[in-house]
Amino acid sequence: MSIQKNDSISLTITGMTAEGAGVGRYEGMAIFVPCSAPGDQLIARIIKRSKTYAVGKIEQILTPSPDRIVPDCPQFFRCGGCEFRHLRYEAELRLKEQRVCDAISRIGGFSPALVQPILGAEAPDRYRNKAQIPIGCQKDGSLCMGFYANHSHRIVDCPDCRLQPGVFTTIQNLFRAWFEKYHISIYEEVSGKGCLRHLYLRYAERTGEIMVCLVAASMPEHCDVLCEMLHAEVPEIVSILLNYNPDKTNVVLGKRFETLWGRDQIEDLLCGLRFSIAPASFYQVNHAQTQRLYQAAAAEAALPKDGLLLDLYCGTGTIGLTIAKDAGRLIGVEIVESAVENAQQNARRNGILNAEFLCMDATKAAARLAREGLQPTVVTIDPPRKGCTPEVVSAITAMQPERIVYVSCDPATLARDLKQFAALGYPPMRLTPVDMFPRTANVETVCLLSKAQTISL
């Protein structure tokens, strides 16, 4: 009997997808069930059917997985912010480590023995130092702030998100009080009318400084009152900004910022260095795990005193500067002009005089530097989720570095790229997964590639 939409079926969950949904098989067909856990025996109702797979929704859990727990957030089943809040954290780490093992063996063709134990977080809650909170209206006209439901632009109201520090909840409550007093209009995506769009928050964990940025289509009335309320109740706030975004787009931030109160940026300490964080700057959202990630990358780089580090996709320079601060010379490459300016400022702020940054596409920069005969000791790469282009891989290997340190946010594209590197003489020597985003399906990996075959596993 073929499965049809609205059928209810008995299913055992045997694995997880990269997006965090449970997967089981029924009559040979893969069935994906969100919010399920490996080991669950359940009844699922089919809500989508294609030729090769189906999607189900839990109707009843017959026998729960031993790893299943009661979610500690009342919005978990509606909100798209977390995927794993129904699992024990130890099980989540096990799944993420296995995901890296599966990717490098199935896609890359490498031994999963190369994968080291995952670096889990000591604090899997309250770790996010940045929040982009959409603003909308409930059916009764009241304010709605929270997260978008999965695969939609429907806002799920979330007064207190457990991924965010408690001070963000305090700021949201102050914003709600201001809105209830003045009833500023809320932007409507369909019509393009209205004012308020997002509340954008950033927190520097080590210095305690907080930035509040109100994203709006126009200047809201009574912003002076909001500023007074915020810095009076939350003294850690040192920057209050307005971002203008009048365009009909789902991009959160517009191009123009105006400082309403205080400074236009905040500062934080990371791996012993001081970094400036502008509203649009890239800065990792989990401070504690970022330090572990960068320390792992620095250990794999092992840059000598006279070594040259080439840092591709360098962003604001955080990885390169933390590795090259005490040794060698740094050349960073980044295509975003404002990020390059931030990287240069960060180098000067920390008295690092051996660093230079190029505003170029990574593919073109790597090819040009290879043609110029640059011979870096170490190359670090932290590409976007789509990974490296074949041209970047070829150019890096043509420079004949001693080591390559690849920081990846997607195990699948990492495995694909490692296969290309290996074909050009740089096989992976060691991979260390890092749980940068607990309670979500994402996992980062630090990978060492070396032409030498003498590194112990």
Side-chain angles (χ1 to χ4, degrees), residues 313-347:
Y313 311 96
C314 72
T316 56
T318 49
I319 292 180
L321 291 172
T322 55
I323 291 176
K325 63 181 178 180
D326 298 320
R329 174 187 169 210
L330 166 64
I331 299 176
V333 176
E334 170 60 48
I335 195 171
V336 180
E337 185 176 356
S338 60
V340 172
E341 293 172 357
N342 283 153
Q344 293 167 338
Q345 293 167 0
N346 288 329

Side-chain angles (χ1 to χ4, degrees), residues 265 267 274-276 342 344-351:
Q265 56 190 335
E267 290 190 347
R274 183 172 290 270
F275 290 97
S276 174
N342 283 153
Q344 293 167 338
Q345 293 167 0
N346 288 329
R348 291 194 297 269
R349 180 175 287 104
N350 291 283

